[in-house]
PDB file of all heavy atoms in Angstrom:
ATOM      1  N   GLU W 289      -4.845  12.920   9.479  1.00 90.00           N
ATOM      2  CA  GLU W 289      -5.789  12.014   8.817  1.00 90.00           C
ATOM      3  C   GLU W 289      -5.081  11.049   7.862  1.00 90.00           C
ATOM      4  O   GLU W 289      -5.333   9.844   7.888  1.00 90.00           O
ATOM      5  CB  GLU W 289      -6.846  12.811   8.058  1.00 90.00           C
ATOM      6  CG  GLU W 289      -7.908  11.950   7.424  1.00 90.00           C
ATOM      7  CD  GLU W 289      -8.981  12.772   6.723  1.00 90.00           C
ATOM      8  OE1 GLU W 289      -9.256  13.903   7.161  1.00 90.00           O
ATOM      9  OE2 GLU W 289      -9.529  12.262   5.743  1.00 90.00           O
ATOM     10  N   GLU W 290      -4.182  11.572   7.033  1.00 88.00           N
ATOM     11  CA  GLU W 290      -3.454  10.697   6.108  1.00 88.00           C
ATOM     12  C   GLU W 290      -2.535   9.725   6.844  1.00 88.00           C
ATOM     13  O   GLU W 290      -2.390   8.580   6.441  1.00 88.00           O
ATOM     14  CB  GLU W 290      -2.662  11.517   5.091  1.00 88.00           C
ATOM     15  CG  GLU W 290      -3.529  12.065   3.989  1.00 88.00           C
ATOM     16  CD  GLU W 290      -2.717  12.645   2.860  1.00 88.00           C
ATOM     17  OE1 GLU W 290      -1.622  13.195   3.110  1.00 88.00           O
ATOM     18  OE2 GLU W 290      -3.171  12.543   1.717  1.00 88.00           O
ATOM     19  N   ARG W 291      -1.907  10.175   7.916  1.00 89.00           N
ATOM     20  CA  ARG W 291      -1.054   9.275   8.701  1.00 89.00           C
ATOM     21  C   ARG W 291      -1.882   8.154   9.324  1.00 89.00           C
ATOM     22  O   ARG W 291      -1.445   7.002   9.378  1.00 89.00           O
ATOM     23  CB  ARG W 291      -0.287  10.051   9.773  1.00 89.00           C
ATOM     24  CG  ARG W 291       0.873  10.863   9.202  1.00 89.00           C
ATOM     25  CD  ARG W 291       1.785  11.408  10.290  1.00 89.00           C
ATOM     26  NE  ARG W 291       1.114  12.209  11.284  1.00 89.00           N
ATOM     27  CZ  ARG W 291       0.910  13.522  11.204  1.00 89.00           C
ATOM     28  NH1 ARG W 291       1.339  14.175  10.146  1.00 89.00           N
ATOM     29  NH2 ARG W 291       0.297  14.176  12.171  1.00 89.00           N
ATOM     30  N   GLU W 292      -3.088   8.468   9.778  1.00 93.00           N
ATOM     31  CA  GLU W 292      -3.963   7.442  10.339  1.00 93.00           C
ATOM     32  C   GLU W 292      -4.398   6.440   9.272  1.00 93.00           C
ATOM     33  O   GLU W 292      -4.476   5.242   9.542  1.00 93.00           O
ATOM     34  CB  GLU W 292      -5.172   8.090  11.018  1.00 93.00           C
ATOM     35  CG  GLU W 292      -4.806   8.776  12.325  1.00 93.00           C
ATOM     36  CD  GLU W 292      -5.982   9.485  12.976  1.00 93.00           C
ATOM     37  OE1 GLU W 292      -7.137   9.302  12.529  1.00 93.00           O
ATOM     38  OE2 GLU W 292      -5.742  10.222  13.945  1.00 93.00           O
ATOM     39  N   ILE W 293      -4.673   6.925   8.075  1.00 93.00           N
ATOM     40  CA  ILE W 293      -5.033   6.024   6.969  1.00 93.00           C
ATOM     41  C   ILE W 293      -3.859   5.101   6.670  1.00 93.00           C
ATOM     42  O   ILE W 293      -4.036   3.892   6.500  1.00 93.00           O
ATOM     43  CB  ILE W 293      -5.455   6.826   5.715  1.00 93.00           C
ATOM     44  CG1 ILE W 293      -6.776   7.546   5.980  1.00 93.00           C
ATOM     45  CG2 ILE W 293      -5.563   5.911   4.496  1.00 93.00           C
ATOM     46  CD1 ILE W 293      -7.143   8.570   4.919  1.00 93.00           C
ATOM     47  N   ALA W 294      -2.659   5.664   6.606  1.00 91.00           N
ATOM     48  CA  ALA W 294      -1.466   4.852   6.336  1.00 91.00           C
ATOM     49  C   ALA W 294      -1.280   3.795   7.413  1.00 91.00           C
ATOM     50  O   ALA W 294      -0.988   2.624   7.113  1.00 91.00           O
ATOM     51  CB  ALA W 294      -0.228   5.746   6.237  1.00 91.00           C
ATOM     52  N   LYS W 295      -1.465   4.175   8.670  1.00 94.00           N
ATOM     53  CA  LYS W 295      -1.326   3.218   9.766  1.00 94.00           C
ATOM     54  C   LYS W 295      -2.359   2.104   9.650  1.00 94.00           C
ATOM     55  O   LYS W 295      -2.045   0.931   9.854  1.00 94.00           O
ATOM     56  CB  LYS W 295      -1.440   3.919  11.107  1.00 94.00           C
ATOM     57  CG  LYS W 295      -1.213   2.990  12.289  1.00 94.00           C
ATOM     58  CD  LYS W 295      -1.270   3.736  13.592  1.00 94.00           C
ATOM     59  CE  LYS W 295      -1.081   2.871  14.806  1.00 94.00           C
ATOM     60  NZ  LYS W 295      -1.281   1.470  14.716  1.00 94.00           N
ATOM     61  N   THR W 296      -3.575   2.453   9.300  1.00 95.00           N
ATOM     62  CA  THR W 296      -4.629   1.447   9.123  1.00 95.00           C
ATOM     63  C   THR W 296      -4.272   0.472   8.017  1.00 95.00           C
ATOM     64  O   THR W 296      -4.444  -0.745   8.163  1.00 95.00           O
ATOM     65  CB  THR W 296      -5.983   2.131   8.826  1.00 95.00           C
ATOM     66  OG1 THR W 296      -6.322   2.982   9.923  1.00 95.00           O
ATOM     67  CG2 THR W 296      -7.084   1.112   8.607  1.00 95.00           C
ATOM     68  N   VAL W 297      -3.769   0.998   6.900  1.00 94.00           N
ATOM     69  CA  VAL W 297      -3.361   0.128   5.788  1.00 94.00           C
ATOM     70  C   VAL W 297      -2.260  -0.824   6.248  1.00 94.00           C
ATOM     71  O   VAL W 297      -2.297  -2.023   5.954  1.00 94.00           O
ATOM     72  CB  VAL W 297      -2.900   0.961   4.566  1.00 94.00           C
ATOM     73  CG1 VAL W 297      -2.234   0.095   3.514  1.00 94.00           C
ATOM     74  CG2 VAL W 297      -4.079   1.715   3.967  1.00 94.00           C
ATOM     75  N   MET W 298      -1.296  -0.330   6.998  1.00 94.00           N
ATOM     76  CA  MET W 298      -0.200  -1.173   7.497  1.00 94.00           C
ATOM     77  C   MET W 298      -0.707  -2.221   8.472  1.00 94.00           C
ATOM     78  O   MET W 298      -0.289  -3.376   8.414  1.00 94.00           O
ATOM     79  CB  MET W 298       0.865  -0.305   8.166  1.00 94.00           C
ATOM     80  CG  MET W 298       1.676   0.511   7.205  1.00 94.00           C
ATOM     81  SD  MET W 298       2.947   1.456   8.083  1.00 94.00           S
ATOM     82  CE  MET W 298       2.672   3.063   7.407  1.00 94.00           C
ATOM     83  N   ASP W 299      -1.610  -1.816   9.358  1.00 96.00           N
ATOM     84  CA  ASP W 299      -2.145  -2.751  10.353  1.00 96.00           C
ATOM     85  C   ASP W 299      -2.977  -3.857   9.706  1.00 96.00           C
ATOM     86  O   ASP W 299      -2.912  -5.020  10.115  1.00 96.00           O
ATOM     87  CB  ASP W 299      -3.000  -2.024  11.391  1.00 96.00           C
ATOM     88  CG  ASP W 299      -2.175  -1.132  12.313  1.00 96.00           C
ATOM     89  OD1 ASP W 299      -0.927  -1.298  12.357  1.00 96.00           O
ATOM     90  OD2 ASP W 299      -2.776  -0.267  12.983  1.00 96.00           O
ATOM     91  N   ARG W 300      -3.769  -3.508   8.706  1.00 95.00           N
ATOM     92  CA  ARG W 300      -4.654  -4.482   8.055  1.00 95.00           C
ATOM     93  C   ARG W 300      -3.942  -5.379   7.053  1.00 95.00           C
ATOM     94  O   ARG W 300      -4.442  -6.438   6.699  1.00 95.00           O
ATOM     95  CB  ARG W 300      -5.802  -3.761   7.352  1.00 95.00           C
ATOM     96  CG  ARG W 300      -6.783  -3.139   8.301  1.00 95.00           C
ATOM     97  CD  ARG W 300      -7.930  -2.519   7.573  1.00 95.00           C
ATOM     98  NE  ARG W 300      -8.866  -1.912   8.514  1.00 95.00           N
ATOM     99  CZ  ARG W 300      -9.844  -1.117   8.169  1.00 95.00           C
ATOM    100  NH1 ARG W 300     -10.061  -0.834   6.886  1.00 95.00           N
ATOM    101  NH2 ARG W 300     -10.641  -0.596   9.087  1.00 95.00           N
ATOM    102  N   ASN W 301      -2.805  -4.919   6.557  1.00 92.00           N
ATOM    103  CA  ASN W 301      -2.080  -5.648   5.513  1.00 92.00           C
ATOM    104  C   ASN W 301      -0.601  -5.735   5.860  1.00 92.00           C
ATOM    105  O   ASN W 301       0.243  -5.207   5.131  1.00 92.00           O
ATOM    106  CB  ASN W 301      -2.241  -4.934   4.163  1.00 92.00           C
ATOM    107  CG  ASN W 301      -3.674  -4.695   3.795  1.00 92.00           C
ATOM    108  OD1 ASN W 301      -4.366  -5.598   3.382  1.00 92.00           O
ATOM    109  ND2 ASN W 301      -4.138  -3.472   3.982  1.00 92.00           N
ATOM    110  N   PRO W 302      -0.242  -6.402   6.947  1.00 91.00           N
ATOM    111  CA  PRO W 302       1.158  -6.380   7.386  1.00 91.00           C
ATOM    112  C   PRO W 302       2.135  -6.956   6.359  1.00 91.00           C
ATOM    113  O   PRO W 302       3.295  -6.535   6.312  1.00 91.00           O
ATOM    114  CB  PRO W 302       1.157  -7.205   8.674  1.00 91.00           C
ATOM    115  CG  PRO W 302      -0.105  -7.990   8.639  1.00 91.00           C
ATOM    116  CD  PRO W 302      -1.082  -7.215   7.817  1.00 91.00           C
ATOM    117  N   ASP W 303       1.694  -7.881   5.531  1.00 89.00           N
ATOM    118  CA  ASP W 303       2.610  -8.496   4.565  1.00 89.00           C
ATOM    119  C   ASP W 303       2.677  -7.771   3.224  1.00 89.00           C
ATOM    120  O   ASP W 303       3.655  -7.928   2.494  1.00 89.00           O
ATOM    121  CB  ASP W 303       2.217  -9.959   4.331  1.00 89.00           C
ATOM    122  CG  ASP W 303       2.364 -10.793   5.594  1.00 89.00           C
ATOM    123  OD1 ASP W 303       3.242 -10.468   6.423  1.00 89.00           O
ATOM    124  OD2 ASP W 303       1.593 -11.753   5.750  1.00 89.00           O
ATOM    125  N   ASN W 304       1.658  -7.025   2.889  1.00 90.00           N
ATOM    126  CA  ASN W 304       1.663  -6.367   1.579  1.00 90.00           C
ATOM    127  C   ASN W 304       1.118  -4.940   1.650  1.00 90.00           C
ATOM    128  O   ASN W 304       0.496  -4.453   0.719  1.00 90.00           O
ATOM    129  CB  ASN W 304       0.876  -7.186   0.564  1.00 90.00           C
ATOM    130  CG  ASN W 304      -0.603  -7.252   0.891  1.00 90.00           C
ATOM    131  OD1 ASN W 304      -0.991  -7.104   2.036  1.00 90.00           O
ATOM    132  ND2 ASN W 304      -1.418  -7.464  -0.110  1.00 90.00           N
ATOM    133  N   TRP W 305       1.403  -4.259   2.752  1.00 93.00           N
ATOM    134  CA  TRP W 305       0.875  -2.910   2.919  1.00 93.00           C
ATOM    135  C   TRP W 305       1.398  -1.947   1.867  1.00 93.00           C
ATOM    136  O   TRP W 305       0.705  -1.016   1.485  1.00 93.00           O
ATOM    137  CB  TRP W 305       1.150  -2.379   4.323  1.00 93.00           C
ATOM    138  CG  TRP W 305       2.588  -2.136   4.649  1.00 93.00           C
ATOM    139  CD1 TRP W 305       3.461  -3.008   5.217  1.00 93.00           C
ATOM    140  CD2 TRP W 305       3.326  -0.933   4.405  1.00 93.00           C
ATOM    141  NE1 TRP W 305       4.698  -2.424   5.352  1.00 93.00           N
ATOM    142  CE2 TRP W 305       4.639  -1.140   4.852  1.00 93.00           C
ATOM    143  CE3 TRP W 305       2.988   0.303   3.848  1.00 93.00           C
ATOM    144  CZ2 TRP W 305       5.619  -0.173   4.763  1.00 93.00           C
ATOM    145  CZ3 TRP W 305       3.971   1.277   3.757  1.00 93.00           C
ATOM    146  CH2 TRP W 305       5.267   1.039   4.211  1.00 93.00           C
ATOM    147  N   ARG W 306       2.605  -2.185   1.351  1.00 93.00           N
ATOM    148  CA  ARG W 306       3.178  -1.262   0.352  1.00 93.00           C
ATOM    149  C   ARG W 306       2.350  -1.259  -0.924  1.00 93.00           C
ATOM    150  O   ARG W 306       2.016  -0.200  -1.458  1.00 93.00           O
ATOM    151  CB  ARG W 306       4.624  -1.638   0.055  1.00 93.00           C
ATOM    152  CG  ARG W 306       5.565  -1.389   1.216  1.00 93.00           C
ATOM    153  CD  ARG W 306       6.930  -2.057   0.975  1.00 93.00           C
ATOM    154  NE  ARG W 306       7.725  -2.118   2.168  1.00 93.00           N
ATOM    155  CZ  ARG W 306       7.624  -3.071   3.094  1.00 93.00           C
ATOM    156  NH1 ARG W 306       6.775  -4.062   2.949  1.00 93.00           N
ATOM    157  NH2 ARG W 306       8.379  -3.041   4.160  1.00 93.00           N
ATOM    158  N   SER W 307       2.003  -2.432  -1.406  1.00 94.00           N
ATOM    159  CA  SER W 307       1.193  -2.492  -2.625  1.00 94.00           C
ATOM    160  C   SER W 307      -0.223  -1.982  -2.357  1.00 94.00           C
ATOM    161  O   SER W 307      -0.821  -1.317  -3.209  1.00 94.00           O
ATOM    162  CB  SER W 307       1.181  -3.900  -3.220  1.00 94.00           C
ATOM    163  OG  SER W 307       0.686  -4.836  -2.303  1.00 94.00           O
ATOM    164  N   GLU W 308      -0.769  -2.266  -1.184  1.00 94.00           N
ATOM    165  CA  GLU W 308      -2.101  -1.758  -0.858  1.00 94.00           C
ATOM    166  C   GLU W 308      -2.108  -0.239  -0.778  1.00 94.00           C
ATOM    167  O   GLU W 308      -3.071   0.416  -1.192  1.00 94.00           O
ATOM    168  CB  GLU W 308      -2.613  -2.370   0.448  1.00 94.00           C
ATOM    169  CG  GLU W 308      -2.931  -3.839   0.341  1.00 94.00           C
ATOM    170  CD  GLU W 308      -3.932  -4.151  -0.764  1.00 94.00           C
ATOM    171  OE1 GLU W 308      -4.949  -3.426  -0.892  1.00 94.00           O
ATOM    172  OE2 GLU W 308      -3.697  -5.121  -1.513  1.00 94.00           O
ATOM    173  N   TRP W 309      -1.039   0.331  -0.258  1.00 94.00           N
ATOM    174  CA  TRP W 309      -0.925   1.794  -0.205  1.00 94.00           C
ATOM    175  C   TRP W 309      -0.902   2.379  -1.613  1.00 94.00           C
ATOM    176  O   TRP W 309      -1.562   3.383  -1.892  1.00 94.00           O
ATOM    177  CB  TRP W 309       0.321   2.199   0.579  1.00 94.00           C
ATOM    178  CG  TRP W 309       0.470   3.685   0.662  1.00 94.00           C
ATOM    179  CD1 TRP W 309       1.369   4.461   0.001  1.00 94.00           C
ATOM    180  CD2 TRP W 309      -0.330   4.569   1.449  1.00 94.00           C
ATOM    181  NE1 TRP W 309       1.186   5.783   0.329  1.00 94.00           N
ATOM    182  CE2 TRP W 309       0.143   5.875   1.214  1.00 94.00           C
ATOM    183  CE3 TRP W 309      -1.402   4.392   2.316  1.00 94.00           C
ATOM    184  CZ2 TRP W 309      -0.418   6.990   1.826  1.00 94.00           C
ATOM    185  CZ3 TRP W 309      -1.964   5.512   2.920  1.00 94.00           C
ATOM    186  CH2 TRP W 309      -1.463   6.785   2.662  1.00 94.00           C
ATOM    187  N   LEU W 310      -0.131   1.754  -2.504  1.00 95.00           N
ATOM    188  CA  LEU W 310      -0.086   2.229  -3.887  1.00 95.00           C
ATOM    189  C   LEU W 310      -1.466   2.145  -4.537  1.00 95.00           C
ATOM    190  O   LEU W 310      -1.876   3.045  -5.270  1.00 95.00           O
ATOM    191  CB  LEU W 310       0.945   1.437  -4.686  1.00 95.00           C
ATOM    192  CG  LEU W 310       2.406   1.699  -4.303  1.00 95.00           C
ATOM    193  CD1 LEU W 310       3.323   0.733  -5.038  1.00 95.00           C
ATOM    194  CD2 LEU W 310       2.801   3.138  -4.583  1.00 95.00           C
ATOM    195  N   ARG W 311      -2.200   1.070  -4.291  1.00 95.00           N
ATOM    196  CA  ARG W 311      -3.554   0.941  -4.840  1.00 95.00           C
ATOM    197  C   ARG W 311      -4.465   2.050  -4.310  1.00 95.00           C
ATOM    198  O   ARG W 311      -5.247   2.640  -5.062  1.00 95.00           O
ATOM    199  CB  ARG W 311      -4.146  -0.417  -4.488  1.00 95.00           C
ATOM    200  CG  ARG W 311      -3.577  -1.542  -5.276  1.00 95.00           C
ATOM    201  CD  ARG W 311      -4.307  -2.854  -5.010  1.00 95.00           C
ATOM    202  NE  ARG W 311      -3.445  -3.969  -5.304  1.00 95.00           N
ATOM    203  CZ  ARG W 311      -3.008  -4.301  -6.506  1.00 95.00           C
ATOM    204  NH1 ARG W 311      -3.354  -3.587  -7.555  1.00 95.00           N
ATOM    205  NH2 ARG W 311      -2.208  -5.328  -6.677  1.00 95.00           N
ATOM    206  N   LEU W 312      -4.362   2.317  -3.031  1.00 94.00           N
ATOM    207  CA  LEU W 312      -5.164   3.376  -2.431  1.00 94.00           C
ATOM    208  C   LEU W 312      -4.878   4.720  -3.093  1.00 94.00           C
ATOM    209  O   LEU W 312      -5.761   5.559  -3.224  1.00 94.00           O
ATOM    210  CB  LEU W 312      -4.871   3.446  -0.928  1.00 94.00           C
ATOM    211  CG  LEU W 312      -5.704   4.412  -0.114  1.00 94.00           C
ATOM    212  CD1 LEU W 312      -7.172   3.998  -0.108  1.00 94.00           C
ATOM    213  CD2 LEU W 312      -5.180   4.472   1.308  1.00 94.00           C
ATOM    214  N   ARG W 313      -3.655   4.914  -3.534  1.00 92.00           N
ATOM    215  CA  ARG W 313      -3.253   6.152  -4.200  1.00 92.00           C
ATOM    216  C   ARG W 313      -3.532   6.130  -5.711  1.00 92.00           C
ATOM    217  O   ARG W 313      -3.126   7.030  -6.431  1.00 92.00           O
ATOM    218  CB  ARG W 313      -1.755   6.406  -3.972  1.00 92.00           C
ATOM    219  CG  ARG W 313      -1.370   6.661  -2.546  1.00 92.00           C
ATOM    220  CD  ARG W 313      -2.030   7.920  -2.029  1.00 92.00           C
ATOM    221  NE  ARG W 313      -1.457   8.321  -0.762  1.00 92.00           N
ATOM    222  CZ  ARG W 313      -1.341   9.568  -0.378  1.00 92.00           C
ATOM    223  NH1 ARG W 313      -1.755  10.539  -1.136  1.00 92.00           N
ATOM    224  NH2 ARG W 313      -0.840   9.839   0.798  1.00 92.00           N
ATOM    225  N   GLY W 314      -4.195   5.056  -6.181  1.00 94.00           N
ATOM    226  CA  GLY W 314      -4.550   4.980  -7.599  1.00 94.00           C
ATOM    227  C   GLY W 314      -3.424   4.515  -8.491  1.00 94.00           C
ATOM    228  O   GLY W 314      -3.446   4.751  -9.700  1.00 94.00           O
ATOM    229  N   LEU W 315      -2.441   3.838  -7.925  1.00 95.00           N
ATOM    230  CA  LEU W 315      -1.274   3.385  -8.677  1.00 95.00           C
ATOM    231  C   LEU W 315      -1.278   1.863  -8.786  1.00 95.00           C
ATOM    232  O   LEU W 315      -0.346   1.180  -8.385  1.00 95.00           O
ATOM    233  CB  LEU W 315       0.004   3.901  -8.006  1.00 95.00           C
ATOM    234  CG  LEU W 315       0.099   5.427  -7.937  1.00 95.00           C
ATOM    235  CD1 LEU W 315       1.165   5.864  -6.972  1.00 95.00           C
ATOM    236  CD2 LEU W 315       0.337   6.017  -9.316  1.00 95.00           C
ATOM    237  N   ASP W 316      -2.357   1.333  -9.348  1.00 96.00           N
ATOM    238  CA  ASP W 316      -2.555  -0.118  -9.429  1.00 96.00           C
ATOM    239  C   ASP W 316      -1.447  -0.840 -10.197  1.00 96.00           C
ATOM    240  O   ASP W 316      -1.024  -1.925  -9.788  1.00 96.00           O
ATOM    241  CB  ASP W 316      -3.907  -0.439 -10.066  1.00 96.00           C
ATOM    242  CG  ASP W 316      -5.077  -0.001  -9.200  1.00 96.00           C
ATOM    243  OD1 ASP W 316      -4.861   0.353  -8.026  1.00 96.00           O
ATOM    244  OD2 ASP W 316      -6.209   0.001  -9.707  1.00 96.00           O
ATOM    245  N   LEU W 317      -0.992  -0.272 -11.302  1.00 95.00           N
ATOM    246  CA  LEU W 317       0.061  -0.939 -12.081  1.00 95.00           C
ATOM    247  C   LEU W 317       1.349  -1.065 -11.279  1.00 95.00           C
ATOM    248  O   LEU W 317       2.031  -2.089 -11.337  1.00 95.00           O
ATOM    249  CB  LEU W 317       0.316  -0.202 -13.397  1.00 95.00           C
ATOM    250  CG  LEU W 317      -0.811  -0.276 -14.419  1.00 95.00           C
ATOM    251  CD1 LEU W 317      -0.496   0.599 -15.629  1.00 95.00           C
ATOM    252  CD2 LEU W 317      -1.069  -1.706 -14.841  1.00 95.00           C
ATOM    253  N   TRP W 318       1.680  -0.038 -10.528  1.00 94.00           N
ATOM    254  CA  TRP W 318       2.877  -0.096  -9.687  1.00 94.00           C
ATOM    255  C   TRP W 318       2.687  -1.099  -8.554  1.00 94.00           C
ATOM    256  O   TRP W 318       3.624  -1.794  -8.171  1.00 94.00           O
ATOM    257  CB  TRP W 318       3.232   1.283  -9.139  1.00 94.00           C
ATOM    258  CG  TRP W 318       3.879   2.136 -10.179  1.00 94.00           C
ATOM    259  CD1 TRP W 318       3.310   3.128 -10.906  1.00 94.00           C
ATOM    260  CD2 TRP W 318       5.233   2.038 -10.631  1.00 94.00           C
ATOM    261  NE1 TRP W 318       4.231   3.659 -11.775  1.00 94.00           N
ATOM    262  CE2 TRP W 318       5.409   3.005 -11.625  1.00 94.00           C
ATOM    263  CE3 TRP W 318       6.311   1.227 -10.282  1.00 94.00           C
ATOM    264  CZ2 TRP W 318       6.617   3.197 -12.283  1.00 94.00           C
ATOM    265  CZ3 TRP W 318       7.521   1.415 -10.933  1.00 94.00           C
ATOM    266  CH2 TRP W 318       7.662   2.392 -11.923  1.00 94.00           C
ATOM    267  N   ALA W 319       1.469  -1.175  -8.020  1.00 94.00           N
ATOM    268  CA  ALA W 319       1.182  -2.161  -6.970  1.00 94.00           C
ATOM    269  C   ALA W 319       1.339  -3.575  -7.524  1.00 94.00           C
ATOM    270  O   ALA W 319       1.929  -4.444  -6.874  1.00 94.00           O
ATOM    271  CB  ALA W 319      -0.232  -1.955  -6.430  1.00 94.00           C
ATOM    272  N   ASP W 320       0.830  -3.800  -8.735  1.00 94.00           N
ATOM    273  CA  ASP W 320       0.985  -5.115  -9.377  1.00 94.00           C
ATOM    274  C   ASP W 320       2.457  -5.452  -9.570  1.00 94.00           C
ATOM    275  O   ASP W 320       2.892  -6.580  -9.313  1.00 94.00           O
ATOM    276  CB  ASP W 320       0.277  -5.147 -10.738  1.00 94.00           C
ATOM    277  CG  ASP W 320      -1.235  -5.071 -10.621  1.00 94.00           C
ATOM    278  OD1 ASP W 320      -1.770  -5.307  -9.516  1.00 94.00           O
ATOM    279  OD2 ASP W 320      -1.873  -4.758 -11.647  1.00 94.00           O
ATOM    280  N   TYR W 321       3.223  -4.466 -10.018  1.00 92.00           N
ATOM    281  CA  TYR W 321       4.657  -4.679 -10.213  1.00 92.00           C
ATOM    282  C   TYR W 321       5.326  -5.048  -8.894  1.00 92.00           C
ATOM    283  O   TYR W 321       6.105  -5.995  -8.818  1.00 92.00           O
ATOM    284  CB  TYR W 321       5.311  -3.435 -10.812  1.00 92.00           C
ATOM    285  CG  TYR W 321       6.823  -3.497 -10.782  1.00 92.00           C
ATOM    286  CD1 TYR W 321       7.510  -4.346 -11.642  1.00 92.00           C
ATOM    287  CD2 TYR W 321       7.544  -2.742  -9.870  1.00 92.00           C
ATOM    288  CE1 TYR W 321       8.893  -4.432 -11.597  1.00 92.00           C
ATOM    289  CE2 TYR W 321       8.923  -2.822  -9.820  1.00 92.00           C
ATOM    290  CZ  TYR W 321       9.596  -3.665 -10.686  1.00 92.00           C
ATOM    291  OH  TYR W 321      10.958  -3.747 -10.626  1.00 92.00           O
ATOM    292  N   LEU W 322       5.021  -4.295  -7.858  1.00 90.00           N
ATOM    293  CA  LEU W 322       5.625  -4.558  -6.555  1.00 90.00           C
ATOM    294  C   LEU W 322       5.303  -5.970  -6.072  1.00 90.00           C
ATOM    295  O   LEU W 322       6.158  -6.658  -5.526  1.00 90.00           O
ATOM    296  CB  LEU W 322       5.141  -3.525  -5.536  1.00 90.00           C
ATOM    297  CG  LEU W 322       5.802  -3.523  -4.172  1.00 90.00           C
ATOM    298  CD1 LEU W 322       7.313  -3.320  -4.295  1.00 90.00           C
ATOM    299  CD2 LEU W 322       5.195  -2.444  -3.302  1.00 90.00           C
ATOM    300  N   GLU W 323       4.074  -6.418  -6.305  1.00 90.00           N
ATOM    301  CA  GLU W 323       3.680  -7.768  -5.896  1.00 90.00           C
ATOM    302  C   GLU W 323       4.345  -8.853  -6.741  1.00 90.00           C
ATOM    303  O   GLU W 323       4.454  -9.992  -6.310  1.00 90.00           O
ATOM    304  CB  GLU W 323       2.167  -7.910  -5.966  1.00 90.00           C
ATOM    305  CG  GLU W 323       1.461  -7.116  -4.891  1.00 90.00           C
ATOM    306  CD  GLU W 323      -0.038  -7.103  -5.047  1.00 90.00           C
ATOM    307  OE1 GLU W 323      -0.553  -7.528  -6.115  1.00 90.00           O
ATOM    308  OE2 GLU W 323      -0.714  -6.657  -4.098  1.00 90.00           O
ATOM    309  N   SER W 324       4.803  -8.486  -7.927  1.00 90.00           N
ATOM    310  CA  SER W 324       5.381  -9.480  -8.837  1.00 90.00           C
ATOM    311  C   SER W 324       6.858  -9.755  -8.596  1.00 90.00           C
ATOM    312  O   SER W 324       7.408 -10.713  -9.132  1.00 90.00           O
ATOM    313  CB  SER W 324       5.193  -9.039 -10.290  1.00 90.00           C
ATOM    314  OG  SER W 324       6.088  -7.986 -10.612  1.00 90.00           O
ATOM    315  N   ILE W 325       7.519  -8.914  -7.808  1.00 85.00           N
ATOM    316  CA  ILE W 325       8.955  -9.097  -7.595  1.00 85.00           C
ATOM    317  C   ILE W 325       9.219  -9.718  -6.228  1.00 85.00           C
ATOM    318  O   ILE W 325       8.400  -9.625  -5.321  1.00 85.00           O
ATOM    319  CB  ILE W 325       9.729  -7.764  -7.754  1.00 85.00           C
ATOM    320  CG1 ILE W 325       9.250  -6.726  -6.744  1.00 85.00           C
ATOM    321  CG2 ILE W 325       9.600  -7.236  -9.165  1.00 85.00           C
ATOM    322  CD1 ILE W 325      10.010  -5.423  -6.780  1.00 85.00           C
ATOM    323  N   THR W 326      10.386 -10.324  -6.100  1.00 67.00           N
ATOM    324  CA  THR W 326      10.770 -10.940  -4.830  1.00 67.00           C
ATOM    325  C   THR W 326      11.259  -9.851  -3.869  1.00 67.00           C
ATOM    326  O   THR W 326      11.623  -8.752  -4.298  1.00 67.00           O
ATOM    327  CB  THR W 326      11.908 -11.959  -5.041  1.00 67.00           C
ATOM    328  OG1 THR W 326      13.080 -11.252  -5.456  1.00 67.00           O
ATOM    329  CG2 THR W 326      11.528 -13.025  -6.047  1.00 67.00           C
TER     330      THR W 326
END
């Protein structure tokens, strides 16, 4: 189930799936940080 959720997040957000995954896990500040760096 978790692997399927991860795959869905990657499929729906190919350019920023990492930050979306962090948000899904309740780590919004880390997601913001990840989006702020090159």
Side-chain angles (χ1 to χ4, degrees):
E289 184 178 330
E290 282 191 327
R291 285 191 304 272
E292 288 177 10
I293 292 169
K295 184 177 179 341
T296 300
V297 169
M298 288 182 230
D299 290 344
R300 290 184 180 169
N301 306 284
D303 296 330
N304 66 335
W305 67 269
R306 291 168 194 84
S307 58
E308 291 304 316
W309 180 253
L310 291 173
R311 286 187 204 293
L312 185 65
R313 295 297 192 148
L315 299 165
D316 294 349
L317 291 175
W318 283 101
D320 292 343
Y321 169 72
L322 188 58
E323 290 173 349
S324 74
I325 60 177
T326 66

